[in-house]
Amino acid sequence: MYNYNTFDESKVEFIAVATVDEIPNGERLFIDIDRQPVVVFNIAGQYFAIADVCSHDDGPVGEGELHGYEINCPRHGAAFDVRSGKVLSLPAIVDIPAYPVRVVDGEVLVGMPIE
Ligand code: FES
């Protein structure tokens, strides 16, 4: 499976955030990992994680409406691809972090960059 995320997987530490049952298909989970707000999506059985901070004005982008893999920030409507963090529309012009996700033994792991 191709992963679009922003980070080199050799430079992240995978942290268990939930069991697969806790993020059913179509749901999302909001968590803080090392004080970084992160939102994890289950889209048709695939998991994606992005920073829950909009690059436009720090809005809670993870709370926005999801259309396919595109999410719209609820604050001013900028769109991002949850697979890659790539910005898709104004008013944001900068990508947001997208973290690699793995499922191991029924647990969802999010790869956070090693500082
Ligand atoms: S804070 Fe997200 S579009 Fe402005």
Side-chain angles (χ1 to χ4, degrees), residues 7 10 15 22 40 43 52 58 70 74 86 111:
F7 296 99
S10 66
I15 295 165
E22 289 170 324
V40 183
I43 302 175
D52 188 18
D58 296 342
E70 182 178 324
K86 290 238 169 291

Side-chain angles (χ1 to χ4, degrees), residues 54-61 73-80 90-92:
C54 183
S55 61
H56 174 237
D57 192 25
D58 296 342
V61 62
C73 179
R75 193 166 290 172
H76 311 106
F80 299 89
L90 295 169

Side-chain angles (χ1 to χ4, degrees), residues 5 10 19 21 27 33 50 57 60 70 83-84 92 100 104 115:
N5 67 70
S10 66
T19 64
D21 298 341
E27 298 293 324
I33 306 176
I50 57 172
D57 192 25
E70 182 178 324
R83 298 169 296 184
S84 61
V104 179
E115 311 222 340

Side-chain angles (χ1 to χ4, degrees), residues 68-113:
Y69 297 108
E70 182 178 324
I71 194 156
N72 289 97
C73 179
R75 193 166 290 172
H76 311 106
F80 299 89
D81 188 320
V82 299
R83 298 169 296 184
S84 61
K86 290 238 169 291
V87 63
L88 301 174
S89 78
L90 295 169
I93 53 170
V94 176
D95 298 343
I96 57 175
Y99 306 105
V101 182
R102 285 183 183 164
V103 175
V104 179
D105 295 334
E107 286 201 298
V108 180
L109 312 180
V110 175
M112 298 301 287

